[in-house]
Protein backbone atom coordinates (compact mmCIF):
# COMPACT_ATOMS: atom_id res chain seq x y z
CA UNK A 1 0.00 0.00 0.00
CA UNK A 2 1.50 3.31 -1.09
CA UNK A 3 0.83 6.44 0.88
CA UNK A 4 1.37 9.82 -0.68
CA UNK A 5 3.52 11.88 1.65
CA UNK A 6 4.09 15.58 1.63
CA UNK A 7 7.69 16.58 0.83
CA UNK A 8 8.21 17.43 4.52
CA UNK A 9 6.88 14.07 5.68
CA UNK A 10 8.97 12.24 3.09
CA UNK A 11 12.08 14.12 4.23
CA UNK A 12 11.25 13.27 7.85
CA UNK A 13 10.85 9.59 6.96
CA UNK A 14 14.19 9.61 5.14
CA UNK A 15 15.91 11.28 8.12
CA UNK A 16 14.47 8.66 10.47
CA UNK A 17 15.64 5.85 8.21
CA UNK A 18 19.14 7.33 7.93
CA UNK A 19 19.40 7.75 11.71
CA UNK A 20 18.12 4.23 12.41
CA UNK A 21 20.56 2.77 9.90
CA UNK A 22 23.56 4.53 11.47
CA UNK A 23 22.45 3.74 15.02
CA UNK A 24 21.85 0.08 14.16
CA UNK A 25 25.22 -0.24 12.48
CA UNK A 26 26.89 1.40 15.50
CA UNK A 27 25.28 -1.22 17.74
CA UNK A 28 26.50 -4.03 15.48
CA UNK A 29 30.03 -2.58 15.42
CA UNK A 30 30.04 -2.38 19.23
CA UNK A 31 28.88 -5.99 19.46
CA UNK A 32 31.78 -6.98 17.24
CA UNK A 33 34.26 -5.03 19.37
CA UNK A 34 34.97 -2.48 16.63
CA UNK A 35 34.68 0.56 18.87
CA UNK A 36 36.31 2.95 16.43
CA UNK A 37 33.68 2.11 13.81
CA UNK A 38 30.99 2.28 16.51
CA UNK A 39 32.02 5.83 17.39
CA UNK A 40 32.16 6.88 13.73
CA UNK A 41 28.69 5.51 13.10
CA UNK A 42 27.38 7.17 16.27
CA UNK A 43 28.78 10.47 14.95
CA UNK A 44 26.89 9.92 11.70
CA UNK A 45 23.71 9.08 13.62
CA UNK A 46 24.17 12.27 15.63
CA UNK A 47 24.53 14.24 12.40
CA UNK A 48 21.14 12.87 11.33
CA UNK A 49 19.63 13.94 14.68
CA UNK A 50 20.98 17.46 14.33
CA UNK A 51 19.86 17.71 10.70
CA UNK A 52 16.36 16.53 11.68
CA UNK A 53 16.17 18.92 14.62
CA UNK A 54 16.04 16.10 17.20
CA UNK A 55 19.24 16.96 19.04
CA UNK A 56 17.28 17.67 22.25
CA UNK A 57 15.54 14.27 22.39
CA UNK A 58 16.12 11.15 24.49
CA UNK A 59 17.59 9.40 21.45
CA UNK A 60 20.20 12.15 21.23
CA UNK A 61 21.18 11.21 24.78
CA UNK A 62 21.90 7.67 23.67
CA UNK A 63 24.07 8.76 20.75
CA UNK A 64 25.99 11.14 23.02
CA UNK A 65 26.73 8.24 25.38
CA UNK A 66 27.89 6.01 22.53
CA UNK A 67 30.07 8.83 21.20
CA UNK A 68 31.46 9.54 24.70
CA UNK A 69 32.21 5.84 25.20
CA UNK A 70 34.04 5.80 21.86
CA UNK A 71 36.07 8.86 22.89
CA UNK A 72 37.00 7.23 26.21
CA UNK A 73 38.06 4.02 24.46
CA UNK A 74 40.10 6.15 22.04
CA UNK A 75 41.96 7.69 25.01
CA UNK A 76 40.28 11.10 24.57
CA UNK A 77 38.88 11.76 28.05
CA UNK A 78 38.39 15.49 27.48
CA UNK A 79 36.28 14.75 24.38
CA UNK A 80 34.34 12.21 26.43
CA UNK A 81 33.55 14.86 29.04
CA UNK A 82 32.57 17.37 26.36
CA UNK A 83 30.14 14.91 24.81
CA UNK A 84 28.57 14.08 28.17
CA UNK A 85 28.03 17.70 29.07
CA UNK A 86 27.93 19.09 32.60
CA UNK A 87 27.21 16.73 35.50
CA UNK A 88 23.82 16.72 37.17
CA UNK A 89 23.69 16.20 40.91
CA UNK A 90 19.92 16.53 41.31
CA UNK A 91 18.99 12.88 41.01
CA UNK A 92 21.36 9.93 40.72
CA UNK A 93 19.14 8.45 38.02
CA UNK A 94 16.67 10.52 36.07
CA UNK A 95 16.66 8.07 33.18
CA UNK A 96 17.98 4.61 32.40
CA UNK A 97 21.14 6.01 30.78
CA UNK A 98 22.33 8.05 33.77
CA UNK A 99 24.42 5.28 35.38
CA UNK A 100 26.41 5.03 32.16
CA UNK A 101 26.83 8.81 32.00
CA UNK A 102 28.15 8.87 35.56
CA UNK A 103 30.47 5.90 34.98
CA UNK A 104 31.88 7.42 31.79
CA UNK A 105 32.35 10.80 33.45
CA UNK A 106 34.12 9.17 36.41
CA UNK A 107 36.43 7.20 34.13
CA UNK A 108 37.30 10.27 32.07
CA UNK A 109 37.96 12.34 35.20
CA UNK A 110 40.30 9.67 36.59
CA UNK A 111 42.07 9.50 33.23
CA UNK A 112 42.91 13.21 33.46
CA UNK A 113 43.89 13.01 37.14
CA UNK A 114 40.80 14.63 38.67
CA UNK A 115 40.13 11.78 41.10
CA UNK A 116 38.35 13.89 43.73
CA UNK A 117 35.74 14.90 41.15
CA UNK A 118 35.42 11.30 39.95
CA UNK A 119 34.48 9.79 43.31
CA UNK A 120 30.98 11.36 43.51
CA UNK A 121 30.35 10.28 39.91
CA UNK A 122 31.35 6.72 40.84
CA UNK A 123 28.90 6.78 43.74
CA UNK A 124 26.12 8.06 41.49
CA UNK A 125 26.84 5.32 38.94
CA UNK A 126 26.79 2.66 41.64
CA UNK A 127 23.58 4.02 43.13
CA UNK A 128 22.04 4.31 39.70
CA UNK A 129 22.39 0.62 38.92
CA UNK A 130 20.77 -0.38 42.20
CA UNK A 131 17.98 2.19 42.63
CA UNK A 132 16.02 1.97 39.39
CA UNK A 133 15.76 -0.40 36.45
CA UNK A 134 18.76 -0.17 34.15
CA UNK A 135 18.96 -1.20 30.53
CA UNK A 136 20.36 -4.73 30.61
CA UNK A 137 22.92 -3.89 27.91
CA UNK A 138 24.16 -1.00 30.06
CA UNK A 139 24.58 -2.94 33.31
CA UNK A 140 27.79 -4.80 32.45
CA UNK A 141 29.60 -1.81 30.89
CA UNK A 142 28.62 0.38 33.85
CA UNK A 143 29.79 -2.21 36.36
CA UNK A 144 33.09 -2.68 34.50
CA UNK A 145 33.70 1.05 34.20
CA UNK A 146 32.90 1.61 37.87
CA UNK A 147 35.19 -1.24 38.97
CA UNK A 148 38.10 -0.22 36.75
CA UNK A 149 37.74 3.47 37.60
CA UNK A 150 37.50 2.79 41.33
CA UNK A 151 40.59 0.59 41.12
CA UNK A 152 42.50 3.22 39.14
CA UNK A 153 41.42 5.91 41.60
CA UNK A 154 42.49 3.82 44.58
CA UNK A 155 38.99 3.64 46.04
Amino acid sequence: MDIDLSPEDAAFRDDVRAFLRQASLATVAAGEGDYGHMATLADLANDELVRGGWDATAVAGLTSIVRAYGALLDARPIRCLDLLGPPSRDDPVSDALDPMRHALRAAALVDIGRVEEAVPELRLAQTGITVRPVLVRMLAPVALLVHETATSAGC
Side-chain angles (χ1 to χ4, degrees), residues 42-125:
D43 284 338
L44 292 171
N46 185 68
D47 292 346
E48 295 298 333
L49 288 173
V50 171
R51 184 174 29 258
W54 311 327
D55 47 331
T57 64
V59 141
L62 179 58
T63 59
S64 72
I65 286 175
V66 173
R67 294 168 69 213
Y69 189 45
L72 186 68
L73 293 172
D74 196 30
R76 296 183 302 148
I78 300 293
R79 176 72 176 140
C80 175
L81 292 170
D82 288 343
L83 289 165
L84 292 171
S88 170
R89 302 272 191 252
D90 299 340
D91 184 1
V93 183
S94 61
D95 67 47
L97 300 175
D98 276 350
M100 187 64 165
R101 280 187 198 96
H102 293 301
L104 286 168
R105 188 173 289 107
L109 288 167
V110 167
D111 282 356
I112 60 174
R114 292 166 45 190
V115 175
E116 287 183 19
E117 291 176 63
V119 172
E121 293 292 335
L122 280 171
R123 288 190 183 120
L124 288 169

